[in-house]
């Protein structure tokens, strides 16, 4: 604990020596649009026009990284988190044939073993490579300007057919908001089990 306090003090004092870019003018700062989610910060310009924008970019990542890549990352993490939350709850009540049942999801990786966990990593890597036609870096993922972040062309139920742009944006917003909630949820579920040492339910 003492180490963390000292580290925090060093980091906060070192920020005094970091040069900050000077504002273009006082009037710009006075009339800057404030963030909806963080009203004490100015609204990040590059977030405007993106579905789900509430002006949340406290580390200013949108200024230094490709917004398409950031949106793709958010959508993929949200989708993974939504699946993870369902899996976290289901494994407490469902046992895969041939495996030992465990109530604590944090113990599941040790029960199934390293081989099963590495299979997940390997096949997700193959899927990532295949869906992006080998373009998996930030610099190459969106070489095709027509490629839309998160759109893998997978719509077996036809939910996107015949929808207007406004209706599609509504569906996208629902997916993004549910994904954001699921990212918080899975983090809370995992930490619940760590802290209490007991199953989720």
């Amino acid at each position: 604990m003492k180490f963390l306090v000292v580290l925090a003090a060093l980091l906060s004092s070192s920020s005094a020596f970091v040069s900050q870019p000077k504002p273009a003018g006082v009037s710009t700062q006075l009339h800057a649009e404030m963030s909806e989610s963080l009203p004490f910060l100015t609204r990040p310009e590059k977030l405007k026009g993106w579905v789900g924008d509430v002006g949340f970019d406290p580390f200013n990542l949108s200024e230094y990284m490709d917004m398409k890549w950031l949106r793709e990352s958010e959508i993929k993490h949200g989708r993974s988190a939504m699946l993870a939350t369902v899996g976290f709850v289901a494994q407490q009540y469902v046992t895969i044939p041939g495996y030992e049942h465990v109530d604590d999801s944090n113990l599941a990786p040790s029960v199934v073993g390293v081989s099963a966990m590495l299979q997940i990593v390997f096949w997700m890597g193959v899927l990532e490579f295949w869906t992006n036609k080998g373009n998996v870096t930030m610099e190459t993922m969106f070489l095709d300007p027509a490629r839309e972040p998160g759109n893998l062309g997978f719509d077996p139920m036809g939910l996107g057919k015949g929808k207007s742009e406004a209706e599609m944006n509504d569906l996208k917003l629902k997916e993004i908001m549910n994904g954001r909630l699921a990212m918080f949820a899975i983090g809370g579920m995992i930490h619940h089990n760590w802290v209490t040492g007991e199953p989720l339910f």
Side-chain angles (χ1 to χ4, degrees):
M1 184 64 180
K2 189 184 287 186
F3 171 76
L4 291 176
V5 172
V6 172
L7 180 63
L10 288 173
L11 289 175
S12 61
S13 62
S14 67
S15 66
F17 301 100
V18 177
S19 62
Q20 297 291 328
K22 292 183 179 179
V26 177
S27 61
T28 305
Q29 292 298 316
L30 291 176
H31 300 293
E33 187 180 355
M34 302 310 283
S35 168
E36 183 183 337
S37 59
L38 301 169
F40 51 88
L41 295 177
T42 56
R43 185 181 193 88
E45 287 295 319
K46 293 191 177 177
L47 297 184
K48 288 183 180 177
W50 289 91
V51 174
D53 168 33
V54 289
F56 185 81
D57 187 10
F59 297 115
N60 226 13
L61 297 177
S62 59
E63 287 298 316
Y64 307 104
M65 297 181 179
D66 180 13
M67 269 304 298
K68 284 188 171 183
W69 188 83
L70 290 171
R71 176 45 55 97
E72 176 99 359
S73 177
E74 180 180 30
I75 290 171
K76 285 180 178 175
H77 280 86
R79 289 172 180 169
S80 298
M82 286 187 276
L83 290 170
T85 53
V86 172
F88 201 95
V89 173
Q91 71 81 43
Q92 188 171 336
Y93 302 104
V94 178
T95 304
I96 297 173
Y99 288 100
E100 173 189 345
H101 178 77
V102 286
D103 285 328
D104 186 347
S105 300
N106 296 311
L107 298 176
S110 62
V111 171
V112 297
V114 176
S115 173
M117 300 308 291
L118 288 178
Q119 284 180 49
I120 294 171
V121 173
F122 174 78
W123 287 111
M124 287 301 100
V126 168
L127 184 63
E128 182 81 0
F129 193 84
W130 175 64
T131 56
N132 291 307
K133 300 175 184 167
N135 298 317
V136 293
T137 66
M138 191 187 313
E139 292 80 16
T140 62
M141 190 175 280
F142 292 97
L143 286 176
D144 178 7
R147 184 172 179 275
E148 183 185 354
N151 187 352
L152 304 176
F154 181 75
D155 188 11
M157 295 171 61
L159 298 176
K161 289 181 181 173
K163 296 247 185 335
S164 67
E165 185 179 352
E167 290 172 321
M168 283 304 296
N169 284 343
D170 184 55
L171 287 174
K172 289 175 185 177
L173 179 63
K174 288 175 181 173
E175 180 184 31
I176 288 168
M177 298 305 281
N178 281 295
R180 289 173 181 172
L181 178 61
M183 286 187 268
F184 279 112
I186 191 63
M189 290 173 168
I190 290 169
H191 283 82
H192 166 272
N193 286 26
W194 282 347
V195 171
T196 65
E198 297 177 358
L200 189 61
F201 298 109

